[in-house]
Structure formats: structure tokens, C-alpha cells
Amino acid sequence: MSFVEYGDTIKDGDTAIVFLGHESMFPVKVQQGTVTQTKYGVIRHSTDLIGKKYGSKVTCSKGGWVFILHPTPELWTMNLPHRTQILYSTDISIITMMLELKPGSIVCESGTGSGSLSHALIRTVAPTGHLYTVEFHQQRAEKAREEFREHGVEHLVTVTNQDVCKNGFGVSNIADAVFLDIPSPWEAIGHAKSALKPEGGRICSFSPCIEQVQRTCLAMEEHGFTEINTLEILLRVYNVRTISLQIPDLGKAAEDNSSAGFDSSNPSNQGSPSANLQQGTVQFKSSVPLREMVGHTGYLTFATKS
């Protein structure tokens, strides 16, 4: 199993996603002789998972069933253990596009955090690219290395435990893009410039507060970055539902026709809507936004090394 390569069957040691419903799923590490408890009963790894195909419908001990899904960066973002606040697919999608990432790209990232963006970056630059990710917190860095190894992507990523604001990324003039998600990104702009390739590299900084954005933009200008642009992505979800509405009663057609001198023999009155209108209900699809929505997550500031 690898997050960048699809495997047909579930193997011992794989990370799989147990899907109970669109609002209920969780990751599980498949191990011989282990069981996993769900609200539908027990899943026995040895007999119910190992050797089965990904996407299989597995019946639990109480008679209920679940699906076992192959892990992807999108599913991992929704189910990963949170060691820090994470980036979600809404921001991740615009980051990978605006940084112009593709297979073979070299990317520097700080900080690693829970690895949500890291997995998406690795999948984007695979199979020949590389991610250099820096994490200040030692335990989080060690946990990230362990997860990358378990997920079969350790050859595509280098995890470094150091302060990027003081020591940089550990590489020079090779990165196609740099991503910063740290409290004081303006202190790392110089190191980001050193890590980027001599010309044309892209940088992105994620900050929740506009004051951080202001200082970061000033630092980018001081270091000669151009095309500085800040944007905010807001996600608004709509629910599609079926609505039944009653057709309005506009009065009996016969009475309306007689009172108005309606002549059914007159060809001009044939097919009149009032002559064919019948009271009843009509169904149609309608979409409405949720009453509550995820609002501000953070500001994304992009720039180009000139």
C-alpha cells in the first residue's frame, strides 16, 4: 500500500479507511490477529481484511457492514490524527495549483504539522519529485517520519527537525516552490529565497491573521519577490432537496369563462391555460445553503522570485 500508488488487495501493515457513511469513517492499521470495534460489530483483520480487495463490503459481527477504502491524501485529510490545526482540501487545491506543482517538482514546506498538506504535495510531485519538510517540534517531526514510512512515501520526502526561521530548509537553489505555515513567516522569507531556484520559483504563506499577512508582504518586497497576491478561499455547501408546492387555486375555469363571455368555439380561446388548469401539487429540486458554514480559515499569500 502506498498513498501514491494503488494496490488491489489489503495487506498486513497497510493503512486502510473504514467507511461507515459519508459522515463517519476512520483510519485503521491492518495487522494480523487484530480486531477493530465499530457500531456494527467487530472487524477481524485476519479474516475480514487481509487478502480482500480495496472497496470491498465487509460484514461485521452484528450483521452490519462497512466498506474498506484505499487511502488517498483527500481521505487522510478527513481522518488523520490531529497534532496541530490542519489545512483542508479547499485550501490545498488552490495551493497546489498556484504553486504550479507537477510530477518532478521540488518543494520545501514548513511546518509539517499533522501532515495533511504534506501528503497532497507528495502525491502531486511523485514519482520523481521530492518534498523537504521542516518541523520545529521534535515529537511531531518523528511522528511525521513514522507516518510517511508506513504510507510508503518515505523515498519522496525528507523530514528535518529544526527552526526554519534560524536554520532554513537545508537546501539551496533547487526548490520550485516553498510553502510556509508558521507563526512568523516574515522571518523565513530570506531562507525561502535561498532555497528557491535562481529564477521563477513560487512561494506561498498561510496565515490566519491579516497582521501576519502585512508583515509577510513587506518582507517579500524587501527580498525582491514580485506578483505578490493575497486571497481567501471560502467554502459554501448547498443541500439539494425535493420540495412539493401546491398549485394555486385561481377559481373554477367554467365560472371564469362564463363571466368573461368565454366562447369555447372561438379558435383563439382553444388551449387557454385557464381552461386546462387543475389544482394539485408539483415537485421540483431546490438547493439551499447550510445555515452554518465554515468561514475564514486563513489568508494565502503567493509571490514569485524575480
Side-chain angles (χ1 to χ4, degrees):
M1 182 277 305
S2 171
F3 272 55
V4 297
E5 297 176 359
Y6 182 78
D8 286 333
T9 58
I10 305 171
K11 299 180 177 62
D12 187 17
D14 282 3
T15 297
I17 305 296
V18 180
F19 181 89
L20 293 83
H22 290 289
E23 302 297 328
S24 179
M25 51 183 142
F26 60 89
V28 61
K29 184 175 181 180
V30 179
Q31 293 179 310
Q32 189 81 32
T34 303
V35 298
T36 296
Q37 296 283 349
T38 74
K39 62 181 180 180
Y40 300 125
V42 172
I43 301 174
R44 295 175 176 83
H45 294 199
S46 301
T47 57
D48 297 333
L49 298 184
I50 297 176
K52 299 291 182 65
K53 286 189 174 182
Y54 279 106
S56 297
K57 183 178 178 181
V58 174
T59 302
C60 304
S61 61
K62 293 182 180 179
W65 48 267
V66 298
F67 287 107
I68 308 299
L69 306 181
H70 192 285
T72 65
E74 291 81 6
L75 289 174
W76 186 246
T77 291
M78 297 172 63
N79 295 282
L80 58 78
H82 285 230
R83 300 183 289 272
T84 59
Q85 289 286 350
I86 69 169
L87 290 176
Y88 289 92
S89 298
T90 308
D91 288 317
I92 291 173
S93 59
I94 196 71
I95 289 170
T96 55
M97 185 189 75
M98 295 292 286
L99 289 182
E100 302 173 2
L101 301 182
K102 60 186 182 300
S105 295
I106 305 297
V107 187
C108 293
E109 174 198 27
S110 182
T112 312
S114 301
S116 173
L117 176 65
S118 304
H119 283 80
L121 295 177
I122 291 169
R123 197 263 307 272
T124 303
V125 304
T128 57
H130 201 83
L131 172 66
Y132 295 89
T133 183
V134 178
E135 173 56 51
F136 175 78
H137 193 276
Q138 182 179 357
Q139 291 179 332
R140 286 200 294 263
E142 293 173 353
K143 185 61 179 177
R145 289 193 192 97
E146 179 184 343
E147 285 181 349
F148 293 142
R149 184 170 57 254
E150 291 178 352
H151 297 166
V153 296
E154 72 276 8
H155 62 292
L156 297 170
V157 57
T158 299
V159 182
T160 305
N161 172 221
Q162 64 187 26
D163 185 351
V164 70
C165 295
K166 295 180 179 179
N167 307 113
F169 294 93
V171 297
S172 299
N173 300 321
I174 64 169
D176 297 289
V178 169
F179 176 79
L180 298 174
D181 182 7
I182 55 178
S184 52
W186 56 89
E187 296 181 0
I189 298 299
H191 293 297
K193 182 178 180 180
S194 299
L196 287 168
K197 58 187 181 182
E199 186 177 0
R202 294 280 287 167
I203 184 174
C204 174
S205 174
F206 176 90
S207 296
C209 302
I210 195 64
E211 292 81 6
Q212 294 171 302
V213 174
Q214 292 170 336
R215 297 188 65 175
T216 302
C217 289
L218 289 174
M220 288 179 175
E221 287 183 343
E222 292 174 358
H223 285 86
F225 283 89
T226 60
E227 299 179 344
I228 301 173
N229 180 35
T230 298
L231 51 87
E232 180 183 27
I233 308 299
L234 299 179
L235 177 65
R236 193 176 191 187
V237 179
Y238 280 77
N239 275 342
V240 179
R241 60 186 182 182
T242 301
I243 296 179
S244 297
L245 291 181
Q246 189 173 21
I247 299 175
D249 184 2
L250 302 178
K252 294 182 179 179
E255 294 178 357
D256 292 345
N257 295 342
S258 61
S259 63
F262 183 83
D263 184 3
S264 61
S265 62
N266 187 344
S268 64
N269 290 328
Q270 296 296 327
S272 171
S274 60
N276 298 319
L277 182 64
Q278 295 181 353
Q279 187 175 4
T281 60
V282 61
Q283 291 186 337
F284 63 95
K285 295 291 185 181
S286 175
S287 61
V288 294
L290 301 180
R291 292 183 179 273
E292 296 181 357
M293 61 172 279
V294 177
H296 172 75
T297 57
Y299 300 103
L300 294 169
T301 301
F302 296 91
T304 303
K305 182 178 179 180
S306 176

